[in-house]
Amino acid sequence: QVQLVESGGGLVQPGGSLRLSCAASGSALDYYAIGWFRQAPGKEREGVSCITSGGSSTYYAEFVKGRFTISRDNVDNTVYLHMNSLKPEDTAVYYCAAVAQFHGSMWYTAEEYDYWGQGTQVTVSS
């Protein structure tokens, strides 16, 4: 079993940058693919990005392509989400989630993931 803790959220102006961290404990992170999701008030949770267990493949939602980058450091047991050119519509609670093996659905399907962090708030506003 793995425990996940997100950090790095905060208030940033439009066009600014943030780096979110997802730190794991209880198990080696390199067994898991890690996804980042977000949920804005009144909206459903949506997939933002995913990185495979070895880091060889990454996936992005269309609305963050070219602005966000996912990376992982399996030595430090941490996955990062580097967010640039932030927009007000990026405002949401961001969650990281872990899955040992996908069961046939796409990476952006929240039900595929077994473990979740508590979330970190990102607010983009002037």
Side-chain angles (χ1 to χ4, degrees):
Q1 190 168 355
V2 61
Q3 293 80 44
L4 304 173
V5 177
E6 303 94 336
S7 62
L11 173 65
V12 63
Q13 292 186 341
S17 299
L18 283 174
R19 187 185 75 167
L20 303 184
S21 299
C22 174
S25 62
S27 179
L29 196 60
D30 53 4
Y31 292 131
Y32 300 91
I34 301 296
W36 282 98
F37 290 77
R38 70 186 189 185
Q39 188 166 20
K43 295 188 177 181
E44 293 189 355
R45 189 170 298 191
E46 59 184 0
V48 175
S49 183
C50 175
I51 187 167
T52 53
S53 57
S56 60
S57 297
T58 57
Y59 306 91
Y60 297 94
E62 283 296 325
F63 52 80
V64 302
K65 277 185 179 178
R67 300 189 298 125
F68 291 12
T69 303
I70 192 170
S71 64
R72 67 189 300 155
D73 184 337
N74 285 341
V75 173
D76 286 344
N77 248 17
T78 303
V79 171
Y80 302 98
L81 186 67
H82 306 260
M83 306 188 296
N84 298 319
S85 302
L86 284 161
K87 305 175 182 180
E89 51 263 45
D90 294 318
T91 296
V93 178
Y94 284 71
Y95 301 87
C96 64
V99 58
Q101 185 173 359
F102 288 101
H103 299 97
S105 294
M106 299 301 289
W107 66 266
Y108 46 78
T109 304
E111 291 75 15
E112 284 281 331
Y113 293 79
D114 300 312
Y115 306 103
W116 290 81
Q118 83 290 345
T120 185
Q121 176 70 47
V122 172
T123 302
V124 184
S125 175
S126 55

